[in-house]
């Protein structure tokens, strides 16, 4: 049985160039705004060449999203490997997610729900669970089993954690462009560092200063 939650394992250089070009256009412009003509022109290939490797625009988008999710899964597993405590494991996950430069997962989910067929949505939905949600949930369940956390299920903790990661993703690079009035006070990049966000998740605002040196 085919596993539709994994991307094609390898591409020849032409197919890889098509996929890379499509990924760049999708993430810059969104699914609807990108046409097959745009992709073949930017990739410098013909339509028959594109259709030889990918059956349509949706399959290009799906393959792009699957590859990003597979890469994320591998990064998350590496981030927690050998980490002995829940603080260290979550800090590793946070660093991987907050510093990811492979695009916005919120945008991917929005575009898939808005523009893909039910089959494409189901395929990527399963992949999001397998490659993003499940690795984090495993860490949460281990933390609950050890008594490091309590009061919520592993699934609830996973959703809370991923919500924080999405909220703070890329924010340090945006601080200079927010344009907040001077009287609002200075925003310190250290407040949005992985260790600090993990402190917020584990201890709330009252324990925020206890995790990392935020001075």
């Amino acid at each position: 049985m085919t596993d539709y939650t994994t991307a094609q394992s390898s591409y020849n250089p032409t197919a890889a160039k098509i996929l890379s070009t499509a990924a760049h256009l999708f993430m810059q412009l969104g699914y609807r705004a990108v046409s097959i003509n745009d992709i073949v022109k930017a990739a410098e290939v013909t339509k028959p060449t594109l259709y030889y490797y990918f059956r349509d625009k949706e399959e290009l988008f799906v393959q792009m999203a699957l590859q990003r999710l597979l890469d994320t899964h591998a990064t998350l597993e590496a981030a927690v490997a050998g980490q002995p405590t829940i603080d260290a494991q979550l800090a590793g996950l946070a660093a991987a997610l907050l510093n990811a430069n492979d695009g916005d997962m919120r945008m991917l989910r929005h575009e898939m729900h808005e523009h893909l067929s039910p089959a494409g949505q189901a395929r990527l939905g399963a992949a999001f669970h397998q490659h993003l949600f499940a690795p984090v949930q495993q860490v949460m369940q281990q933390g609950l089993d050890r008594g490091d956390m309590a009061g919520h299920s592993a699934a609830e903790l996973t959703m809370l954690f991923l919500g924080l990661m999405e909220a703070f993703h890329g924010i340090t690079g945006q601080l200079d462009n927010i344009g907040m009035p001077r009287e609002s006070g200075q925003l310190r990049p250290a407040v949005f560092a992985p260790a600090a966000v993990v402190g917020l998740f584990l201890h709330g605002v009252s324990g925020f200063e206890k995790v990392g040196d935020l001075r």
Side-chain angles (χ1 to χ4, degrees):
M1 180 179 295
T2 301
D3 182 359
Y4 289 108
T5 63
T6 60
Q8 185 172 315
S9 59
S10 63
Y11 300 96
N12 69 25
T14 300
K17 182 179 181 181
I18 294 170
L19 187 59
S20 175
T21 301
H24 176 75
L25 292 173
F26 286 142
M27 296 307 296
Q28 289 292 317
L29 303 174
Y31 184 86
R32 184 184 294 276
V34 177
S35 68
I36 290 295
N37 286 335
D38 295 327
I39 296 169
V40 298
K41 181 178 179 181
E44 300 179 317
V45 298
T46 64
K47 281 187 180 181
T49 298
L50 183 148
Y51 287 127
Y52 177 80
Y53 295 108
F54 304 97
R55 66 174 179 262
D56 53 25
K57 186 173 82 167
E58 176 167 315
E59 182 62 20
L60 270 169
F61 185 89
V62 168
Q63 286 293 321
M64 176 271 291
L66 289 175
Q67 190 60 62
R68 288 170 186 265
L69 287 165
L70 281 167
D71 291 344
T72 297
H73 192 158
T75 300
L76 295 179
E77 287 191 333
V80 300
Q83 300 293 349
T85 66
I86 189 65
D87 298 69
Q89 289 174 335
L90 292 180
L93 292 176
L97 293 168
L98 291 173
N99 298 322
N101 60 1
D102 60 352
D104 191 336
M105 291 296 179
R106 289 169 296 187
M107 178 183 177
L108 287 179
R109 292 200 304 273
H110 175 270
E111 294 297 287
M112 80 182 233
H113 284 300
E114 287 292 319
H115 305 301
L116 298 191
S117 67
Q121 292 182 35
R123 190 174 171 189
L124 285 185
F128 265 101
H129 182 272
Q130 179 177 337
H131 299 306
L132 178 60
F133 190 90
V136 178
Q137 185 176 14
Q138 182 178 12
V139 172
M140 299 302 178
Q141 187 60 59
Q142 291 171 350
L144 289 170
D145 294 342
R146 292 193 302 261
D148 296 328
M149 297 180 291
H152 297 279
S153 69
E156 290 170 338
L157 291 170
T158 299
M159 290 301 294
L160 289 168
F161 184 80
L162 290 176
L164 274 177
M165 296 306 107
E166 289 194 345
F168 289 111
H169 177 262
I171 197 169
T172 54
Q174 302 168 12
L175 290 180
D176 292 337
N177 300 320
I178 290 177
M180 294 181 66
R182 185 181 301 274
E183 56 268 24
S184 296
Q186 182 180 6
L187 295 175
R188 294 171 295 163
V191 174
F192 308 108
V197 178
V198 169
L200 177 62
F201 173 76
L202 285 174
H203 309 294
V205 176
S206 63
F208 194 63
E209 293 287 345
K210 298 177 183 179
V211 179
D213 184 4
L214 304 184
R215 294 190 295 261

